[in-house]
């Protein structure tokens, strides 16, 4: 019986030896071919190397499979084609005419470009015939898989998170800043189409207020962009479209701290409220575009609050007329005027009228250079009804309170990622009186310089220094002083961030 | 006795005053005041469904303008939002764009997120529903294009402004221009169906023109097949694919981000080792990086290319652009 086993073993051994011999022959051939190919390509292509090494290793243990035979044929073909010889015949294409100034070896099939072109045009024509009268929302036929697949974004809304960190220091006594680095604000935004009529946005933000973070809704509104050919309507909670800065979120400002006039009259970040705002677009002349914004909001409070405010007799109303003058393709301009009416107290019927002028001039050269010159002027009147004198029974007028101020800012992008800026601030209370009832001289003036490094549109780091002069002759204590403040801001945005309005 | 009389008079006076205000209110603030405002504003607008003499088309780039003019010819009025030498990635939006879009019957863009930073918001603010996505007047020219440069990995912001749907500079391949022309034709059919035959005839003529352009330029380029060039931004990939040269080496490390000096040294080494002597840039690119690299590679030339119609003064048509680009490459390689 063992003779049978021995003879079977012998046959297997012979078979294996013959395979081994075949392997070695294949190996020798493939070594030469790959070496030739490698030297001709003069590349260090990892694919070729790994294929070569895999062949050596595998052929030591297994017999040449179909894969290796195919591979052998493919490599031989490649070798032949690079020598201008396909299937043993000299190529009819004028490969000798081809001039290559470097080591790149063209694909032999490139020379057959004419038939490839015809084939491509024919396929294109077939596809086009299927698309006739289509609105291109969906493909009426199977399209080339290499065309863009946009369906992945179906029904998705845009989401973003932005973090605004600000450090502020000074060496004044008493200190005029917090002398710390804090996350000033973290904001989360969601935007998208609601249906065929509305576009929705929800922006919630956490503010650092005295070390505690308060989450609140910044914007939650629905916009009807197509209510009319000229009008769109916004309903909900939003930053009012008044002035220039008020509707821009703080992490997108061109400076770290709010201008002094904005801090005093627009409540540091923005005047926000719930109501309705209509925007009407029209053009009287070709060189100028006009937009009129009309808004009505609850008017229970002015600016930022964590309370429900006070119920008023009249809502807050405002109008903002914006004119955009065409100066050239690289230029953007906006000149606006705002009027706002706000009821301060429903019992005394005192109310506030606030007027503003805003202007922006922008210029850019692609993404390489740009500048923005921006300015806002605000004037506020707090008007009070006459007060009845209980002794004389006569109405005595109460003098109205007035405040005004402005800022001018220039930010110049001198390199693709670097900007340098300057801002001048001024604020004054014209009818401030001292203890004797005389008008008291007063002013707050700020000069700020800043340097911004902006690696991309999704982040920046900004350092700024402010020299602030404060004069208040209504009090006897230190009526004039100058202080220096140092700021460092780092802001980043994750996810999609919608482009802001012009 | 006089009291009631006075009171009556006073009441009458008040009633008269109230009536007076009522009349005033009726005149100036009728109950349907808001409806009246809306109707008035709508009436003051040109009716969108009724076309004026010509179809008003607003496009984002000059290449689309040229294309739309070829197909629409005398029956269209085309306005491009940017010029040929402007960067379509970064456009400072202006309100006059809104007015143009507001009055348009049709809007056409390159798509593939090339204009993602400025078009979506303008479209929404245009208040023109007939050019919104999915409407007859909305044309995305990239539909049906064979896209190159699709990312092979999950894209994040660390990779710069990489377009998630692939390279959007597809108009530099004349065969793609045919498909873009077809997309415009398709929208014109829907917007102005009465002149369909006219547009189709123009499209076929344009198609022939493009086919001839490819044929003649392929013959000219045949001797340069396989040539390797460097580019600043990956915007020549479609052109290179069509005319059989290699434009994969980019000086820009990540799209939209200035290259680091370390990466530039790498590019210089590659160019030296592979004997690459030509660097292609467009007028919107910062030439300093390409010039620096060229100064470090012996015999290297920087070629400023008209990547769009009007990008250079001599590139007045699309055919000019292609011919100028390829001629410059050939001359530099000779």
């Amino acid at each position: 019986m063992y003779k049978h086993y021995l003879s079977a073993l012998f046959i297997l051994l012979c078979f294996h030896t013959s395979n081994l011999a075949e392997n070695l022959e294949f190996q020798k051939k493939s070594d030469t071919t790959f070496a030739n190919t490698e030297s001709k390509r003069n590349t260090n292509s990892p694919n070729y190397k790994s294929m070569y090494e895999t062949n050596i290793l595998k052929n030591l243990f297994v017999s040449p499979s179909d894969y290796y035979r195919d591979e052998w044929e493919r490599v031989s073909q490649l070798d032949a084609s690079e020598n201008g010889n396909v299937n043993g015949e000299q190529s009819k294409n004028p490969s000798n005419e081809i001039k290559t100034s470097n080591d790149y070896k063209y694909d032999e099939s490139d020379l057959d470009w004419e038939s490839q072109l015809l084939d491509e045009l024919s396929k294109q024509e077939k596809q086009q015939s299927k698309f006739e009268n289509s609105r291109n929302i969906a493909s009426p036929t199977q399209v080339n898989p290499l065309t863009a697949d946009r369906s992945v974004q179906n029904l998705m809304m845009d989401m973003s998170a932005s973090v605004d960190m600000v450090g502020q220091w000074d060496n004044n006594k008493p200190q005029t800043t917090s002398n710390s680095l804090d996350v000033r604000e973290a904001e989360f935004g969601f935007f998208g189409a609601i249906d065929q009529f509305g576009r929705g946005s929800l922006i919630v933000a956490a503010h650092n207020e005295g070390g505690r973070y308060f989450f609140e809704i910044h914007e939650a509104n629905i916009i009807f962009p197509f209510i009319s050919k000229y009008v769109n309507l916004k309903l909900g909670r939003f930053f009012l479209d008044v002035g220039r800065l008020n509707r821009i979120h703080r992490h997108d400002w061109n400076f770290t701290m709010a201008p002094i006039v904005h801090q005093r009259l627009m409540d540091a970040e923005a005047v926000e409220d719930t109501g309705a705002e209509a925007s009407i677009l029209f053009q009287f002349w070709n060189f100028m575009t006009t937009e009129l914004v009309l808004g009505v909001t609850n008017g229970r409070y002015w600016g930022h609050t964590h309370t429900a405010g006070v119920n008023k007799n009249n809502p807050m109303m405002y109008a903002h007329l914006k004119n955009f003058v065409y100066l050239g393709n690289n230029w953007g301009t906006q000149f606006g005027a705002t009027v706002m009416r706000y009821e301060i107290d429903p019992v005394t019927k005192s109310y506030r009228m606030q007027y503003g002028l805003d202007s922006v001039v922008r210029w850019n050269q692609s993404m390489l250079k740009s500048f923005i010159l921006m300015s806002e002027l605000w004037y506020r009147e707090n008007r009070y009804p006459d007060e009845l004198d209980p002794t004389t029974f006569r109405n005595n007028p109460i003098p109205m309170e007035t405040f005004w101020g402005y800022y001018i800012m220039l930010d110049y992008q001198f390199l693709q990622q670097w900007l340098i800026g300057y801002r001048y601030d001024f604020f004054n209370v014209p009818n401030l009186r001292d203890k004797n009832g005389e008008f008291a001289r007063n002013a707050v003036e700020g000069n700020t310089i800043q340097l911004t490094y902006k690696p991309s549109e999704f982040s920046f780091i900004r350092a700024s220094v402010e020299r602030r002069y404060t004069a208040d002759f209504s009090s006897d204590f230190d009526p004039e002083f100058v202080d220096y403040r140092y700021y460092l801001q780092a802001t980043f945005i994750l996810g999609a961030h919608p482009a802001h309005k012009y | 006795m006089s009291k009631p009389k006075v009171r009556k008079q006073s009441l009458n006076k008040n009633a008269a005053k109230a009536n007076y205000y009522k009349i005033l209110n009726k005149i100036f603030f009728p109950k349907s005041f808001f409806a009246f405002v809306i109707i008035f504003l709508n009436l003051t607008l040109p009716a969108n469904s009724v076309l004026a003499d010509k179809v008003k088309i607003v496009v984002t780039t000059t290449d689309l303008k040229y294309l739309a003019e070829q197909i629409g010819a005398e029956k269209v009025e085309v306005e491009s939002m940017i010029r040929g030498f402007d960067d379509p990635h970064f456009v400072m939006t202006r309100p006059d764009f809104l007015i143009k879009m507001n009055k348009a019957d049709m809007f056409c863009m390159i798509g593939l997120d090339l204009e993602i930073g400025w078009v979506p918001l303008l479209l929404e603010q245009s208040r023109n529903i007939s050019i919104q996505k999915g409407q007859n007047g909305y044309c995305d020219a990239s539909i049906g294009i064979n896209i190159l440069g699709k990312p092979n990995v999950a894209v994040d912001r660390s990779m710069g402004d990489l377009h998630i749907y692939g390279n959007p500079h597809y108009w530099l391949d004349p065969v793609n221009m045919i498909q873009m022309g077809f997309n415009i034709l398709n929208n014109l059919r829907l917007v102005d169906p009465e002149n369909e035959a006219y547009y189709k005839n123009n499209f076929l003529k344009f198609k022939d023109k493009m086919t001839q352009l490819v044929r003649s330029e392929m013959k000219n380029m045949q001797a340069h097949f396989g040539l390797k060039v460097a580019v600043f931004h990956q915007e020549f990939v479609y052109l290179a694919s069509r005319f059989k040269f290699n434009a994969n080496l980019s000086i820009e490390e990540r799209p939209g981000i200035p290259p680091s000096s370390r990466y530039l040294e790498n590019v210089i080494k590659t160019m030296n080792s592979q004997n690459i002597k030509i660097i292609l840039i467009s007028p919107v690119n910062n030439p300093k990086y390409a010039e620096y690299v060229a100064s470090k590679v012996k015999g290297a030339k920087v070629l400023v290319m008209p990547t769009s119609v009007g990008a250079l003064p001599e590139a007045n048509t699309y055919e000019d652009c292609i011919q100028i680009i390829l001629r410059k490459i050939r001359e530099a390689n000779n």
Side-chain angles (χ1 to χ4, degrees):
Chain A
M1 192 62 184
Y2 70 95
K3 280 181 185 175
H4 295 290
Y5 286 118
L6 275 176
S7 57
L9 195 64
F10 180 72
I11 290 163
L12 274 173
L13 194 64
C14 287
F15 182 71
H16 184 73
T17 314
S18 68
N19 276 349
L20 198 62
E22 198 179 338
N23 270 349
L24 287 172
E25 194 185 343
F26 173 81
Q27 187 60 57
K28 200 176 164 187
K29 255 184 156 180
S30 63
D31 278 1
T32 321
T33 313
F34 273 114
N36 283 342
T37 314
E38 286 292 297
S39 64
K40 278 172 192 163
R41 285 187 172 273
N42 194 19
T43 62
N44 291 320
S45 164
N47 290 339
Y48 272 81
K49 277 191 168 177
S50 62
M51 200 192 298
Y52 179 59
E53 284 159 10
T54 316
N55 278 343
I56 292 172
L57 290 170
K58 283 193 174 178
N59 285 328
L60 287 175
F61 302 104
V62 295
S63 61
S65 63
D66 288 344
Y67 167 73
Y68 288 114
R69 290 186 197 284
D70 291 347
E71 192 58 32
W72 166 252
E73 281 169 18
R74 198 188 70 77
V75 170
S76 304
Q77 188 86 5
L78 185 69
D79 191 32
S81 73
E82 290 197 351
N83 288 317
N85 188 332
V86 183
N87 296 331
E89 291 174 16
Q90 195 67 33
S91 170
K92 288 174 188 173
N93 289 316
S95 56
N96 293 334
E97 291 171 19
I98 304 244
K99 182 176 121 189
T100 51
S101 66
N102 47 43
D103 300 334
Y104 178 77
K105 295 288 183 288
Y106 59 89
D107 189 346
E108 187 73 17
S109 62
D110 285 352
L111 297 172
D112 194 20
W113 58 264
E114 193 135 21
S115 61
Q116 284 173 14
L117 178 67
L118 287 173
D119 186 43
E120 197 173 337
L121 289 171
S122 152
K123 278 180 186 167
Q124 195 183 56
E125 207 166 298
K126 272 183 192 169
Q127 185 174 294
Q128 284 171 356
S129 67
K130 302 268 171 51
F131 270 80
E132 275 185 17
N133 294 326
S134 161
R135 283 189 291 154
N136 288 337
I137 307 167
S139 300
T141 182
Q142 176 68 47
V143 292
N144 188 325
L146 286 174
T147 60
D149 180 11
R150 298 167 180 83
S151 58
V152 288
Q153 63 176 175
N154 275 350
L155 304 176
M156 289 293 286
M157 59 184 168
D158 288 334
M159 289 178 279
S160 74
S162 56
V163 174
D164 185 24
M165 287 180 282
V166 174
Q168 38 191 313
W169 297 274
D170 69 277
N171 55 3
N172 308 311
K173 286 175 185 171
Q175 283 173 335
T176 46
T177 66
S178 67
N179 275 290
S180 62
L181 174 70
D182 289 306
V183 175
R184 179 166 67 172
E185 191 175 85
E187 191 180 88
F188 304 92
F190 308 90
F191 325 89
I194 299 163
D195 53 26
Q196 69 271 36
F197 298 121
R199 306 285 180 272
S201 63
L202 170 65
I203 300 171
V204 290
H207 286 269
N208 184 353
E209 290 174 29
R212 279 188 67 194
Y213 284 91
F214 290 91
F215 251 101
E216 62 183 30
I217 294 174
H218 264 184
E219 301 212 23
N221 55 62
I222 176 169
I223 299 174
F224 300 99
F226 317 115
I227 199 162
S228 143
K229 190 80 187 282
Y230 283 158
V231 183
N232 72 25
L233 182 69
K234 190 192 280 187
L235 291 175
R237 185 177 176 80
F238 45 81
F239 283 17
L240 311 189
D241 188 351
V242 291
R244 171 70 188 177
L245 205 58
N246 194 70
R247 66 205 170 108
I248 302 174
H249 289 234
R250 199 151 49 175
H251 59 84
D252 276 328
W253 285 356
N254 292 81
F255 26 73
T256 303
M257 303 305 283
I260 296 166
V261 64
H262 199 85
Q263 283 174 22
R264 304 285 174 94
L265 303 186
M266 303 301 285
D267 199 28
E269 183 171 18
V271 176
E272 53 184 301
D273 207 347
T274 308
E277 190 178 272
S279 156
I280 305 153
L281 187 73
F282 45 95
Q283 189 177 37
F284 293 124
W285 302 281
N286 279 340
F287 70 91
M288 195 163 96
T289 305
T290 304
E291 185 184 357
L292 176 65
V293 177
L294 299 171
V296 183
T297 61
N298 292 332
R300 295 171 71 99
Y301 49 81
W302 178 272
H304 179 87
T305 181
H306 294 293
T307 66
V310 180
N311 197 2
K312 304 286 174 64
N313 297 321
N314 294 295
M316 174 148 65
M317 291 177 283
Y318 57 93
H320 185 197
L321 184 72
K322 295 183 267 185
N323 295 293
F324 311 94
V325 181
Y326 178 78
L327 295 179
N329 280 35
N330 295 80
W331 293 84
T333 58
Q334 176 187 310
F335 304 100
T338 303
V339 56
M340 303 171 78
R341 188 191 185 281
Y342 169 73
E343 193 173 276
I344 301 169
D345 184 10
V347 180
T348 61
K349 294 185 179 172
S350 55
Y351 65 98
R352 173 179 297 163
M353 293 299 294
Q354 189 156 316
Y355 308 93
L357 294 173
D358 58 276
S359 64
V360 182
V361 179
R362 291 191 299 164
W363 171 88
N364 81 334
Q365 182 200 336
S366 179
M367 59 190 285
L368 307 176
K369 278 184 181 173
S370 68
F371 80 75
I372 180 166
L373 180 66
M374 186 162 95
S375 180
E376 267 182 277
L377 184 147
W378 285 103
Y379 171 71
R380 176 190 285 182
E381 289 177 356
N382 284 344
R383 296 177 184 176
Y384 301 96
D386 293 352
E387 198 177 44
L388 185 71
D389 189 328
T391 52
T392 61
F393 295 101
R394 291 179 65 180
N395 280 336
N396 290 332
I398 297 177
M400 67 181 178
E401 294 171 349
T402 54
F403 310 84
W404 79 285
Y406 65 93
Y407 71 89
I408 301 171
M409 192 276 302
L410 175 71
D411 210 16
Y412 173 57
Q413 181 197 359
F414 59 100
L415 288 172
Q416 191 173 336
Q417 296 176 315
W418 289 91
L419 300 98
I420 190 161
Y422 168 75
R423 192 181 79 200
Y424 175 76
D425 283 280
F426 179 81
F427 184 75
N428 175 242
V429 185
N431 55 5
L432 184 72
R433 288 166 191 268
D434 60 18
K435 60 187 177 186
N436 301 321
E438 301 293 323
F439 285 111
R441 199 155 60 85
N442 69 92
V444 185
E445 200 180 45
N447 285 279
T448 310
I449 53 166
Q450 62 182 38
L451 182 69
T452 309
Y453 172 62
K454 200 170 183 181
S456 72
E457 59 187 308
F458 297 96
S459 71
F460 67 81
I461 298 168
R462 178 178 290 140
S464 53
V465 182
E466 181 188 357
R467 178 191 183 276
R468 188 175 284 202
Y469 163 77
T470 310
D472 182 0
F473 286 90
S474 67
S475 74
D476 297 331
F477 176 73
D478 209 1
E480 273 185 300
F481 67 92
V482 174
D483 66 298
Y484 289 87
R485 302 168 187 205
Y486 307 94
Y487 301 104
L488 185 70
Q489 183 183 14
T491 295
F492 64 84
I493 297 165
L494 298 171
H497 188 256
H500 287 286
K501 288 170 92 177
Y502 31 84
Chain B
M1 286 297 286
S2 61
K3 264 187 181 176
K5 200 179 174 184
V6 170
R7 196 168 167 236
K8 199 178 174 185
Q9 274 179 352
S10 170
L11 282 172
N12 287 340
K13 210 175 175 182
N14 282 341
K17 208 174 174 182
N19 279 336
Y20 172 68
Y21 281 119
K22 265 185 186 174
I23 291 162
L24 272 182
N25 270 334
K26 273 189 180 175
I27 294 168
F28 294 106
F29 303 101
K31 279 180 184 173
S32 55
F33 178 69
F34 289 105
F36 167 77
V37 168
I38 290 168
I39 291 165
F40 171 74
L41 288 170
N42 276 300
L43 285 175
T44 53
L45 308 169
N48 215 39
S49 56
V50 182
L51 286 175
D53 295 345
K54 292 183 175 184
V55 178
K56 284 182 183 163
I57 305 176
V58 171
V59 297
T60 53
T61 68
T62 49
D63 306 284
L64 286 169
K65 180 177 190 283
Y66 177 75
L67 185 54
E69 282 170 347
Q70 294 293 304
I71 293 161
E74 291 168 355
K75 298 198 183 295
V76 298
E77 193 182 296
V78 192
E79 276 192 278
S80 171
M81 292 162 88
I82 62 170
R83 299 162 298 180
F85 48 86
D86 288 331
D87 188 346
H89 301 85
F90 301 95
V91 174
M92 183 173 66
T93 56
R94 302 191 312 267
D96 58 293
F97 289 166
L98 291 183
I99 293 289
K100 283 177 185 169
M101 292 167 93
N102 183 270
K103 293 176 178 172
D105 302 305
M106 188 175 140
F107 169 73
C108 192
M109 62 176 188
I110 294 289
L112 294 181
D113 281 359
L114 179 73
E115 303 102 333
I116 186 75
W118 53 288
V119 159
L121 201 69
L122 282 175
L123 258 181
E124 187 181 303
Q125 291 185 339
S126 73
R127 298 141 166 89
N128 184 354
I129 199 162
S130 56
I131 59 165
Q132 300 300 312
K133 194 168 17 178
Q135 299 297 312
N136 288 348
Y138 177 87
C139 169
D140 182 341
S142 70
I143 302 296
I145 297 285
N146 285 342
I147 307 297
L148 303 177
K150 285 180 87 174
N152 297 322
V153 294
V155 177
D156 62 35
R157 300 264 185 233
S158 68
M159 299 161 80
D161 292 331
L162 196 66
H163 295 278
I164 56 172
Y165 301 117
N167 192 315
H169 300 274
Y170 58 84
W171 65 88
L172 283 177
D173 178 355
V175 175
N176 287 347
M177 278 295 267
I178 298 171
Q179 180 61 34
M180 292 161 75
F182 174 78
N183 290 332
I184 290 177
L185 169 72
N186 231 3
N187 279 88
L188 280 171
R189 275 176 176 147
L190 299 169
V191 172
D192 184 17
E194 289 171 6
N195 291 309
E196 184 185 344
Y198 176 79
Y199 299 133
K200 191 166 186 180
N201 188 34
N202 287 343
F203 168 70
L204 293 173
K205 278 183 197 165
F206 178 75
K207 187 178 172 178
D208 285 347
K209 211 192 279 185
M210 287 298 107
T211 312
Q212 287 311 314
L213 177 70
V214 174
R215 285 211 170 99
S216 65
E217 288 303 318
M218 284 297 270
K219 279 172 192 161
N220 292 336
M221 284 299 288
Q222 194 157 314
H224 304 269
F225 280 2
L227 173 72
K228 272 186 180 178
V229 299
V231 298
F232 179 79
H233 181 65
Q234 280 290 4
E235 56 194 311
F236 298 95
V237 61
Y238 289 92
L239 183 86
S241 171
R242 174 62 52 202
F243 296 102
K244 317 288 184 193
F245 62 95
N246 182 315
N248 292 341
L249 181 67
S250 70
I251 290 173
E252 205 176 35
E253 192 173 359
R254 299 175 179 91
I257 310 286
S260 64
S261 53
R262 175 188 44 77
Y263 178 76
L264 287 182
E265 290 307 315
N266 209 314
V267 171
I268 292 164
K269 276 182 196 167
T270 310
M271 286 182 70
N272 279 321
S273 69
Q274 298 188 13
N275 201 23
I276 297 172
K277 303 288 183 193
I278 298 170
I279 302 171
L280 310 182
I281 66 169
S282 73
V284 300
N285 301 144
N286 187 346
K288 284 178 187 171
Y289 299 105
E291 281 163 5
Y292 169 75
V293 171
S295 71
K296 301 286 179 186
V297 179
K298 201 180 170 187
K301 294 173 190 169
V302 178
L303 305 178
V304 182
M305 295 301 194
T307 45
S308 281
V309 177
L312 293 180
E314 62 271 28
N316 296 315
T317 65
Y318 177 78
E319 292 90 317
D320 286 348
C321 291
I322 298 296
Q323 283 162 352
I324 291 168
I325 293 174
L326 297 176
R327 193 186 67 230
K328 279 187 170 185
I329 291 172
R330 290 195 298 270
E331 284 170 0
N333 192 36
N334 283 330

